[in-house]
């Protein structure tokens, strides 16, 4: 099963992607998590990444494309994967489409988490208090939301056209367990 999650920061897509990955026994490829892990390496990339992540701006398309291509081709993704946080720009989307064509695979399901931006801001502030993430402050939230609207929303729109029969909008204001049930219901329907 090959799944892509779209949704603004704070929409809960990471939590749901994690739960679903456990359930389906496939890897959860969260590019945010992958980049935060790279921050721990003491190399040239570290300081560059630190600056970009803490400002809420996007890391270069080339780096993300390379990371994702490597992971998808690795054995861990033999039975599928969940992409969370990628593709985030039209350039990443173009790369993914040509990569899929070259490697002869497609995507099974697209979940697009929809949430009012006021709730997004509140949720991220709560996460800032709980997790102390450096990129969860009010100024950075604004940058991240603007990036989402400008760069990622056009990508999710493009996916909704390309995968019209397996694209699903999800009401991200619901409780975690309700959203989980909804995702499973959609997956089960797809099996019939
Ligand atoms: P996330 O945890 O998905 O909100 O990602 C945290 C940060 O990692 C983002 O604000 C970006 O700086 C960076 N990032 C994650 N995924 C991507 C991507 N696909 N392209 C560019 N930057 C990314």
């Amino acid at each position: 099963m090959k799944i892509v999650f779209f949704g603004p920061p704070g929409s809960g897509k990471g939590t749901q992607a994690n739960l679903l990955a456990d359930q389906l026994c496939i890897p959860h490829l969260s590019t945010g998590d992958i980049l935060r892990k790279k921050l721990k390496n003491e190399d040239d990339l570290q300081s560059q990444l630190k600056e970009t992540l803490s400002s809420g701006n996007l890391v270069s398309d080339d780096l993300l494309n390379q990371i994702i291509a490597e992971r998808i081709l690795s054995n861990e993704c033999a039975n599928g994967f969940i992409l969370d946080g990628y593709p985030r720009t039209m350039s990443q989307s173009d790369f993914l489409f040509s990569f899929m064509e070259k490697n002869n695979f497609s995507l099974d399901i697209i979940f697009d988490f929809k949430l009012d931006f006021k709730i997004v801001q509140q949720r991220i502030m709560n996460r800032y208090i709980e997790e102390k993430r450096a990129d969860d402050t009010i100024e950075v939230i604004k940058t991240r939301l603007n990036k989402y609207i400008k760069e990622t929303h056009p990508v999710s729109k493009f996916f909704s056209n390309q995968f019209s029969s397996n694209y699903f909008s999800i009401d991200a204001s619901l409780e975690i367990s309700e959203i989980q049930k909804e995702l499973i219901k959609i997956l089960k329907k797809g099996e019939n």
Side-chain angles (χ1 to χ4, degrees):
M1 186 71 77
K2 299 178 183 70
I3 304 173
V4 174
F5 276 65
F6 286 107
S11 63
K13 70 177 166 36
T15 305
Q16 294 296 338
N18 220 357
L19 289 168
L20 201 59
D22 280 351
Q23 208 151 356
L24 299 175
C25 295
I26 52 176
H28 169 207
L29 303 181
S30 155
T31 46
D33 287 349
I34 294 169
L35 293 170
R36 279 186 288 277
K37 230 180 235 166
K38 285 194 184 293
L39 276 182
K40 293 184 184 139
N41 302 340
E42 296 208 355
D43 53 18
D44 289 348
L45 187 61
Q46 184 199 41
S47 56
Q48 223 179 303
L49 279 181
K50 201 172 175 182
E51 207 180 301
T52 312
L53 261 72
S54 59
S55 69
N57 285 304
L58 296 181
V59 176
S60 82
D61 291 328
D62 283 350
L63 179 63
L64 268 300
N65 292 339
Q66 190 198 326
I67 289 173
I68 287 300
E70 242 171 61
R71 294 291 287 265
I72 290 181
L73 292 180
S74 72
N75 270 345
E76 64 164 341
C77 291
N79 294 323
F81 51 79
I82 294 182
L83 287 182
D84 164 15
Y86 180 96
R88 221 165 173 120
T89 63
M90 275 318 286
S91 157
Q92 292 176 16
S93 167
D94 291 345
F95 175 86
L96 181 62
F97 272 84
S98 51
F99 183 76
M100 289 195 297
E101 204 180 319
K102 200 168 133 202
N103 292 284
N104 210 16
F105 74 91
S106 186
L107 300 168
D108 301 297
I109 302 252
I110 318 297
F111 290 125
D112 194 355
F113 281 47
K114 305 282 186 185
L115 189 64
D116 185 277
F117 285 136
K118 285 225 170 68
I119 305 180
V120 167
Q121 290 199 6
Q122 193 50 54
R123 281 197 186 176
I124 299 183
M125 282 319 289
N126 292 343
R127 189 165 70 185
Y128 172 64
I129 295 161
E130 284 162 20
E131 294 178 21
K132 304 259 177 299
R133 258 176 66 166
D135 60 350
D136 275 349
T137 62
I138 203 77
E139 313 85 73
V140 181
I141 292 167
K142 283 202 180 123
T143 310
R144 293 172 69 207
L145 278 183
N146 282 338
K147 287 280 163 203
Y148 190 82
I149 294 163
K150 273 206 180 132
E151 307 277 356
T152 314
H153 185 66
V155 182
S156 67
K157 190 105 195 58
F158 179 69
F159 271 60
S160 73
N161 290 323
Q162 292 292 312
F163 296 97
S164 52
S165 57
N166 34 10
Y167 167 93
F168 299 89
S169 279
I170 304 297
D171 177 0
S173 69
L174 299 173
E175 292 290 324
I176 291 180
S177 61
E178 281 181 277
I179 299 177
Q180 207 188 355
K181 273 190 218 147
E182 177 71 14
L183 302 189
I184 299 289
K185 201 167 94 190
I186 293 170
L187 286 173
K188 287 225 165 105
K189 243 192 223 162
E191 283 170 8
N192 300 325

